[in-house]
Amino acid sequence: MSNNRLTSFPIIDQMQLLSLNLSGNNLTDMDSLPKKEWLQVLDLSNNRLTSMTLSLSDMTSLKSLRLGGNAFAVLPSLPEAKEMQVLDISFNNLSALPEGVERLIGLVKINITGNPIARSEREKLKELFPNAEIVY
């Protein structure tokens, strides 16, 4: 469902999605998703998101979360997704790391490019994830 100029996402109660790519649309908010606990890949990159009322906390199966290319100043607390490998929060307006990033113990790639994140926060990432590829 990427690159379709969608402004909202139709929710179907019985959906049990493993992957959801809504990148490159015109979404301004994500407030709910069906059966979020099943999702392994969520791509909301390159939309018009400034905030998200959608809770990420119960998305514990996520392996990839892509929120780059939006206008977030703050992100919701990240889930305790031990198998998450990719976190892309590039090209937003984030000045601090999202709450809960330290719980993502399986991260192998983190992209924070294009955010005014302080040097101390970048150093924190290096300490938390010494073996991960950190792009900033």
Side-chain angles (χ1 to χ4, degrees), residues 99-127:
E99 183 181 326
V101 70
E102 69 281 352
R103 295 189 300 249
L104 305 176
I105 60 175
L107 281 178
V108 295
K109 183 169 185 179
I110 309 159
N111 189 345
I112 61 171
T113 303
N115 287 292
I117 293 178
R119 173 179 235 119
S120 61
E121 293 282 285
R122 294 192 310 250
E123 294 300 321
K124 179 180 174 183
L125 274 180
K126 288 181 190 177
E127 290 173 20

PDB file of all heavy atoms in Angstrom, residues 99-127:
ATOM      1  N   GLU A  99      12.025   6.979  23.824  1.00  0.00           N
ATOM      2  CA  GLU A  99      11.963   6.218  25.081  1.00  0.00           C
ATOM      3  C   GLU A  99      11.873   4.727  24.761  1.00  0.00           C
ATOM      4  O   GLU A  99      11.134   4.318  23.881  1.00  0.00           O
ATOM      5  CB  GLU A  99      10.732   6.652  25.874  1.00  0.00           C
ATOM      6  CG  GLU A  99      10.603   5.985  27.214  1.00  0.00           C
ATOM      7  CD  GLU A  99       9.348   6.440  27.948  1.00  0.00           C
ATOM      8  OE1 GLU A  99       8.956   7.614  27.796  1.00  0.00           O
ATOM      9  OE2 GLU A  99       8.767   5.609  28.657  1.00  0.00           O
ATOM     10  N   GLY A 100      12.660   3.940  25.455  1.00  0.00           N
ATOM     11  CA  GLY A 100      12.618   2.494  25.283  1.00  0.00           C
ATOM     12  C   GLY A 100      13.625   1.942  24.298  1.00  0.00           C
ATOM     13  O   GLY A 100      13.678   0.734  24.092  1.00  0.00           O
ATOM     14  N   VAL A 101      14.445   2.804  23.684  1.00  0.00           N
ATOM     15  CA  VAL A 101      15.410   2.312  22.698  1.00  0.00           C
ATOM     16  C   VAL A 101      16.361   1.291  23.326  1.00  0.00           C
ATOM     17  O   VAL A 101      16.790   0.343  22.669  1.00  0.00           O
ATOM     18  CB  VAL A 101      16.184   3.476  22.025  1.00  0.00           C
ATOM     19  CG1 VAL A 101      17.150   4.138  22.979  1.00  0.00           C
ATOM     20  CG2 VAL A 101      16.881   2.992  20.766  1.00  0.00           C
ATOM     21  N   GLU A 102      16.639   1.439  24.604  1.00  0.00           N
ATOM     22  CA  GLU A 102      17.567   0.513  25.277  1.00  0.00           C
ATOM     23  C   GLU A 102      17.015  -0.902  25.386  1.00  0.00           C
ATOM     24  O   GLU A 102      17.769  -1.848  25.595  1.00  0.00           O
ATOM     25  CB  GLU A 102      17.949   1.057  26.669  1.00  0.00           C
ATOM     26  CG  GLU A 102      16.820   1.058  27.675  1.00  0.00           C
ATOM     27  CD  GLU A 102      15.840   2.216  27.530  1.00  0.00           C
ATOM     28  OE1 GLU A 102      16.074   3.158  26.736  1.00  0.00           O
ATOM     29  OE2 GLU A 102      14.807   2.173  28.218  1.00  0.00           O
ATOM     30  N   ARG A 103      15.720  -1.074  25.206  1.00  0.00           N
ATOM     31  CA  ARG A 103      15.108  -2.413  25.286  1.00  0.00           C
ATOM     32  C   ARG A 103      15.244  -3.198  23.983  1.00  0.00           C
ATOM     33  O   ARG A 103      14.948  -4.382  23.941  1.00  0.00           O
ATOM     34  CB  ARG A 103      13.630  -2.281  25.644  1.00  0.00           C
ATOM     35  CG  ARG A 103      13.375  -1.719  27.021  1.00  0.00           C
ATOM     36  CD  ARG A 103      11.911  -1.812  27.389  1.00  0.00           C
ATOM     37  NE  ARG A 103      11.062  -1.092  26.467  1.00  0.00           N
ATOM     38  CZ  ARG A 103      10.393   0.020  26.767  1.00  0.00           C
ATOM     39  NH1 ARG A 103      10.502   0.552  27.960  1.00  0.00           N
ATOM     40  NH2 ARG A 103       9.615   0.594  25.877  1.00  0.00           N
ATOM     41  N   LEU A 104      15.692  -2.561  22.919  1.00  0.00           N
ATOM     42  CA  LEU A 104      15.778  -3.203  21.606  1.00  0.00           C
ATOM     43  C   LEU A 104      17.123  -3.910  21.465  1.00  0.00           C
ATOM     44  O   LEU A 104      17.970  -3.541  20.655  1.00  0.00           O
ATOM     45  CB  LEU A 104      15.580  -2.169  20.503  1.00  0.00           C
ATOM     46  CG  LEU A 104      14.287  -1.352  20.598  1.00  0.00           C
ATOM     47  CD1 LEU A 104      14.238  -0.300  19.508  1.00  0.00           C
ATOM     48  CD2 LEU A 104      13.068  -2.251  20.546  1.00  0.00           C
ATOM     49  N   ILE A 105      17.308  -4.945  22.233  1.00  0.00           N
ATOM     50  CA  ILE A 105      18.621  -5.577  22.381  1.00  0.00           C
ATOM     51  C   ILE A 105      19.119  -6.285  21.129  1.00  0.00           C
ATOM     52  O   ILE A 105      20.298  -6.590  21.022  1.00  0.00           O
ATOM     53  CB  ILE A 105      18.626  -6.553  23.573  1.00  0.00           C
ATOM     54  CG1 ILE A 105      17.578  -7.657  23.372  1.00  0.00           C
ATOM     55  CG2 ILE A 105      18.394  -5.804  24.876  1.00  0.00           C
ATOM     56  CD1 ILE A 105      17.603  -8.731  24.433  1.00  0.00           C
ATOM     57  N   GLY A 106      18.266  -6.514  20.145  1.00  0.00           N
ATOM     58  CA  GLY A 106      18.670  -7.212  18.932  1.00  0.00           C
ATOM     59  C   GLY A 106      19.038  -6.302  17.770  1.00  0.00           C
ATOM     60  O   GLY A 106      19.302  -6.777  16.669  1.00  0.00           O
ATOM     61  N   LEU A 107      19.063  -4.975  17.994  1.00  0.00           N
ATOM     62  CA  LEU A 107      19.307  -4.048  16.890  1.00  0.00           C
ATOM     63  C   LEU A 107      20.662  -4.272  16.238  1.00  0.00           C
ATOM     64  O   LEU A 107      21.677  -4.408  16.912  1.00  0.00           O
ATOM     65  CB  LEU A 107      19.239  -2.597  17.376  1.00  0.00           C
ATOM     66  CG  LEU A 107      17.856  -2.013  17.576  1.00  0.00           C
ATOM     67  CD1 LEU A 107      17.953  -0.591  18.112  1.00  0.00           C
ATOM     68  CD2 LEU A 107      17.044  -2.033  16.298  1.00  0.00           C
ATOM     69  N   VAL A 108      20.647  -4.312  14.903  1.00  0.00           N
ATOM     70  CA  VAL A 108      21.887  -4.400  14.137  1.00  0.00           C
ATOM     71  C   VAL A 108      22.078  -3.165  13.264  1.00  0.00           C
ATOM     72  O   VAL A 108      23.182  -2.894  12.802  1.00  0.00           O
ATOM     73  CB  VAL A 108      21.963  -5.685  13.279  1.00  0.00           C
ATOM     74  CG1 VAL A 108      22.015  -6.909  14.161  1.00  0.00           C
ATOM     75  CG2 VAL A 108      20.820  -5.770  12.302  1.00  0.00           C
ATOM     76  N   LYS A 109      20.994  -2.387  13.032  1.00  0.00           N
ATOM     77  CA  LYS A 109      21.105  -1.150  12.268  1.00  0.00           C
ATOM     78  C   LYS A 109      20.158  -0.106  12.836  1.00  0.00           C
ATOM     79  O   LYS A 109      18.970  -0.369  13.019  1.00  0.00           O
ATOM     80  CB  LYS A 109      20.801  -1.371  10.790  1.00  0.00           C
ATOM     81  CG  LYS A 109      20.984  -0.095   9.979  1.00  0.00           C
ATOM     82  CD  LYS A 109      20.948  -0.319   8.503  1.00  0.00           C
ATOM     83  CE  LYS A 109      21.255   0.990   7.796  1.00  0.00           C
ATOM     84  NZ  LYS A 109      21.263   0.840   6.356  1.00  0.00           N
ATOM     85  N   ILE A 110      20.725   1.075  13.083  1.00  0.00           N
ATOM     86  CA  ILE A 110      19.961   2.205  13.606  1.00  0.00           C
ATOM     87  C   ILE A 110      20.286   3.409  12.736  1.00  0.00           C
ATOM     88  O   ILE A 110      21.451   3.755  12.572  1.00  0.00           O
ATOM     89  CB  ILE A 110      20.345   2.521  15.064  1.00  0.00           C
ATOM     90  CG1 ILE A 110      20.282   1.264  15.921  1.00  0.00           C
ATOM     91  CG2 ILE A 110      19.461   3.626  15.631  1.00  0.00           C
ATOM     92  CD1 ILE A 110      21.100   1.351  17.182  1.00  0.00           C
ATOM     93  N   ASN A 111      19.266   4.041  12.176  1.00  0.00           N
ATOM     94  CA  ASN A 111      19.489   5.216  11.341  1.00  0.00           C
ATOM     95  C   ASN A 111      18.826   6.417  11.993  1.00  0.00           C
ATOM     96  O   ASN A 111      17.594   6.450  12.128  1.00  0.00           O
ATOM     97  CB  ASN A 111      18.941   4.991   9.937  1.00  0.00           C
ATOM     98  CG  ASN A 111      19.349   6.089   8.976  1.00  0.00           C
ATOM     99  OD1 ASN A 111      19.804   7.157   9.371  1.00  0.00           O
ATOM    100  ND2 ASN A 111      19.166   5.828   7.692  1.00  0.00           N
ATOM    101  N   ILE A 112      19.655   7.389  12.407  1.00  0.00           N
ATOM    102  CA  ILE A 112      19.143   8.620  13.007  1.00  0.00           C
ATOM    103  C   ILE A 112      19.560   9.851  12.193  1.00  0.00           C
ATOM    104  O   ILE A 112      19.461  10.982  12.660  1.00  0.00           O
ATOM    105  CB  ILE A 112      19.587   8.763  14.483  1.00  0.00           C
ATOM    106  CG1 ILE A 112      21.109   8.824  14.589  1.00  0.00           C
ATOM    107  CG2 ILE A 112      19.013   7.647  15.336  1.00  0.00           C
ATOM    108  CD1 ILE A 112      21.619   9.189  15.977  1.00  0.00           C
ATOM    109  N   THR A 113      20.000   9.641  10.961  1.00  0.00           N
ATOM    110  CA  THR A 113      20.439  10.720  10.073  1.00  0.00           C
ATOM    111  C   THR A 113      19.381  11.810   9.972  1.00  0.00           C
ATOM    112  O   THR A 113      18.184  11.527   9.936  1.00  0.00           O
ATOM    113  CB  THR A 113      20.691  10.163   8.650  1.00  0.00           C
ATOM    114  OG1 THR A 113      21.634   9.117   8.730  1.00  0.00           O
ATOM    115  CG2 THR A 113      21.181  11.227   7.705  1.00  0.00           C
ATOM    116  N   GLY A 114      19.843  13.066   9.888  1.00  0.00           N
ATOM    117  CA  GLY A 114      18.929  14.169   9.610  1.00  0.00           C
ATOM    118  C   GLY A 114      18.086  14.609  10.784  1.00  0.00           C
ATOM    119  O   GLY A 114      17.058  15.249  10.588  1.00  0.00           O
ATOM    120  N   ASN A 115      18.493  14.264  12.007  1.00  0.00           N
ATOM    121  CA  ASN A 115      17.805  14.710  13.217  1.00  0.00           C
ATOM    122  C   ASN A 115      18.776  15.554  14.050  1.00  0.00           C
ATOM    123  O   ASN A 115      19.972  15.276  14.050  1.00  0.00           O
ATOM    124  CB  ASN A 115      17.360  13.512  14.068  1.00  0.00           C
ATOM    125  CG  ASN A 115      16.193  12.783  13.477  1.00  0.00           C
ATOM    126  OD1 ASN A 115      15.094  13.293  13.410  1.00  0.00           O
ATOM    127  ND2 ASN A 115      16.444  11.563  13.014  1.00  0.00           N
ATOM    128  N   PRO A 116      18.272  16.544  14.762  1.00  0.00           N
ATOM    129  CA  PRO A 116      19.146  17.343  15.635  1.00  0.00           C
ATOM    130  C   PRO A 116      19.404  16.649  16.979  1.00  0.00           C
ATOM    131  O   PRO A 116      19.234  17.239  18.044  1.00  0.00           O
ATOM    132  CB  PRO A 116      18.362  18.650  15.794  1.00  0.00           C
ATOM    133  CG  PRO A 116      16.924  18.242  15.689  1.00  0.00           C
ATOM    134  CD  PRO A 116      16.918  17.106  14.685  1.00  0.00           C
ATOM    135  N   ILE A 117      19.806  15.391  16.923  1.00  0.00           N
ATOM    136  CA  ILE A 117      20.055  14.617  18.141  1.00  0.00           C
ATOM    137  C   ILE A 117      21.425  14.994  18.691  1.00  0.00           C
ATOM    138  O   ILE A 117      22.423  15.004  17.967  1.00  0.00           O
ATOM    139  CB  ILE A 117      19.958  13.103  17.861  1.00  0.00           C
ATOM    140  CG1 ILE A 117      18.506  12.750  17.510  1.00  0.00           C
ATOM    141  CG2 ILE A 117      20.436  12.287  19.049  1.00  0.00           C
ATOM    142  CD1 ILE A 117      18.267  11.304  17.172  1.00  0.00           C
ATOM    143  N   ALA A 118      21.470  15.293  19.974  1.00  0.00           N
ATOM    144  CA  ALA A 118      22.694  15.733  20.637  1.00  0.00           C
ATOM    145  C   ALA A 118      23.780  14.663  20.581  1.00  0.00           C
ATOM    146  O   ALA A 118      23.489  13.460  20.537  1.00  0.00           O
ATOM    147  CB  ALA A 118      22.400  16.087  22.093  1.00  0.00           C
ATOM    148  N   ARG A 119      25.012  15.125  20.597  1.00  0.00           N
ATOM    149  CA  ARG A 119      26.175  14.227  20.574  1.00  0.00           C
ATOM    150  C   ARG A 119      26.114  13.218  21.726  1.00  0.00           C
ATOM    151  O   ARG A 119      26.436  12.052  21.557  1.00  0.00           O
ATOM    152  CB  ARG A 119      27.465  15.035  20.644  1.00  0.00           C
ATOM    153  CG  ARG A 119      28.682  14.178  20.802  1.00  0.00           C
ATOM    154  CD  ARG A 119      29.982  14.976  20.848  1.00  0.00           C
ATOM    155  NE  ARG A 119      30.825  14.445  19.817  1.00  0.00           N
ATOM    156  CZ  ARG A 119      31.297  15.098  18.787  1.00  0.00           C
ATOM    157  NH1 ARG A 119      31.026  16.365  18.642  1.00  0.00           N
ATOM    158  NH2 ARG A 119      32.049  14.497  17.902  1.00  0.00           N
ATOM    159  N   SER A 120      25.677  13.652  22.904  1.00  0.00           N
ATOM    160  CA  SER A 120      25.595  12.754  24.064  1.00  0.00           C
ATOM    161  C   SER A 120      24.619  11.605  23.805  1.00  0.00           C
ATOM    162  O   SER A 120      24.853  10.483  24.246  1.00  0.00           O
ATOM    163  CB  SER A 120      25.189  13.524  25.317  1.00  0.00           C
ATOM    164  OG  SER A 120      23.920  14.120  25.139  1.00  0.00           O
ATOM    165  N   GLU A 121      23.552  11.876  23.082  1.00  0.00           N
ATOM    166  CA  GLU A 121      22.583  10.841  22.733  1.00  0.00           C
ATOM    167  C   GLU A 121      23.190   9.854  21.729  1.00  0.00           C
ATOM    168  O   GLU A 121      22.969   8.654  21.803  1.00  0.00           O
ATOM    169  CB  GLU A 121      21.309  11.459  22.151  1.00  0.00           C
ATOM    170  CG  GLU A 121      20.508  12.271  23.141  1.00  0.00           C
ATOM    171  CD  GLU A 121      19.693  11.399  24.072  1.00  0.00           C
ATOM    172  OE1 GLU A 121      18.666  10.857  23.647  1.00  0.00           O
ATOM    173  OE2 GLU A 121      20.099  11.274  25.239  1.00  0.00           O
ATOM    174  N   ARG A 122      23.967  10.372  20.787  1.00  0.00           N
ATOM    175  CA  ARG A 122      24.642   9.498  19.818  1.00  0.00           C
ATOM    176  C   ARG A 122      25.655   8.599  20.521  1.00  0.00           C
ATOM    177  O   ARG A 122      25.782   7.413  20.198  1.00  0.00           O
ATOM    178  CB  ARG A 122      25.304  10.329  18.722  1.00  0.00           C
ATOM    179  CG  ARG A 122      24.305  11.063  17.851  1.00  0.00           C
ATOM    180  CD  ARG A 122      24.929  11.655  16.605  1.00  0.00           C
ATOM    181  NE  ARG A 122      26.111  12.439  16.841  1.00  0.00           N
ATOM    182  CZ  ARG A 122      26.203  13.749  16.722  1.00  0.00           C
ATOM    183  NH1 ARG A 122      25.137  14.446  16.366  1.00  0.00           N
ATOM    184  NH2 ARG A 122      27.331  14.380  16.936  1.00  0.00           N
ATOM    185  N   GLU A 123      26.368   9.161  21.484  1.00  0.00           N
ATOM    186  CA  GLU A 123      27.334   8.378  22.264  1.00  0.00           C
ATOM    187  C   GLU A 123      26.618   7.288  23.070  1.00  0.00           C
ATOM    188  O   GLU A 123      27.116   6.176  23.203  1.00  0.00           O
ATOM    189  CB  GLU A 123      28.152   9.284  23.191  1.00  0.00           C
ATOM    190  CG  GLU A 123      29.062  10.245  22.461  1.00  0.00           C
ATOM    191  CD  GLU A 123      30.084   9.554  21.575  1.00  0.00           C
ATOM    192  OE1 GLU A 123      30.629   8.510  21.974  1.00  0.00           O
ATOM    193  OE2 GLU A 123      30.329  10.063  20.454  1.00  0.00           O
ATOM    194  N   LYS A 124      25.456   7.622  23.564  1.00  0.00           N
ATOM    195  CA  LYS A 124      24.651   6.639  24.303  1.00  0.00           C
ATOM    196  C   LYS A 124      24.313   5.446  23.410  1.00  0.00           C
ATOM    197  O   LYS A 124      24.383   4.291  23.843  1.00  0.00           O
ATOM    198  CB  LYS A 124      23.372   7.300  24.826  1.00  0.00           C
ATOM    199  CG  LYS A 124      22.452   6.380  25.585  1.00  0.00           C
ATOM    200  CD  LYS A 124      21.205   7.130  26.050  1.00  0.00           C
ATOM    201  CE  LYS A 124      20.198   6.207  26.680  1.00  0.00           C
ATOM    202  NZ  LYS A 124      18.971   6.921  27.068  1.00  0.00           N
ATOM    203  N   LEU A 125      23.964   5.714  22.158  1.00  0.00           N
ATOM    204  CA  LEU A 125      23.670   4.634  21.212  1.00  0.00           C
ATOM    205  C   LEU A 125      24.871   3.722  21.018  1.00  0.00           C
ATOM    206  O   LEU A 125      24.737   2.499  20.978  1.00  0.00           O
ATOM    207  CB  LEU A 125      23.258   5.195  19.852  1.00  0.00           C
ATOM    208  CG  LEU A 125      21.811   5.558  19.634  1.00  0.00           C
ATOM    209  CD1 LEU A 125      21.601   6.094  18.232  1.00  0.00           C
ATOM    210  CD2 LEU A 125      20.891   4.394  19.910  1.00  0.00           C
ATOM    211  N   LYS A 126      26.048   4.320  20.886  1.00  0.00           N
ATOM    212  CA  LYS A 126      27.267   3.521  20.709  1.00  0.00           C
ATOM    213  C   LYS A 126      27.512   2.610  21.905  1.00  0.00           C
ATOM    214  O   LYS A 126      27.960   1.477  21.749  1.00  0.00           O
ATOM    215  CB  LYS A 126      28.476   4.436  20.512  1.00  0.00           C
ATOM    216  CG  LYS A 126      28.514   5.128  19.185  1.00  0.00           C
ATOM    217  CD  LYS A 126      29.771   5.991  19.112  1.00  0.00           C
ATOM    218  CE  LYS A 126      29.772   6.898  17.925  1.00  0.00           C
ATOM    219  NZ  LYS A 126      30.950   7.785  17.906  1.00  0.00           N
ATOM    220  N   GLU A 127      27.225   3.117  23.104  1.00  0.00           N
ATOM    221  CA  GLU A 127      27.399   2.312  24.315  1.00  0.00           C
ATOM    222  C   GLU A 127      26.361   1.193  24.400  1.00  0.00           C
ATOM    223  O   GLU A 127      26.690   0.068  24.771  1.00  0.00           O
ATOM    224  CB  GLU A 127      27.293   3.198  25.560  1.00  0.00           C
ATOM    225  CG  GLU A 127      28.451   4.143  25.731  1.00  0.00           C
ATOM    226  CD  GLU A 127      28.231   5.117  26.874  1.00  0.00           C
ATOM    227  OE1 GLU A 127      27.384   4.843  27.761  1.00  0.00           O
ATOM    228  OE2 GLU A 127      28.896   6.171  26.873  1.00  0.00           O
TER     229      GLU A 127
END
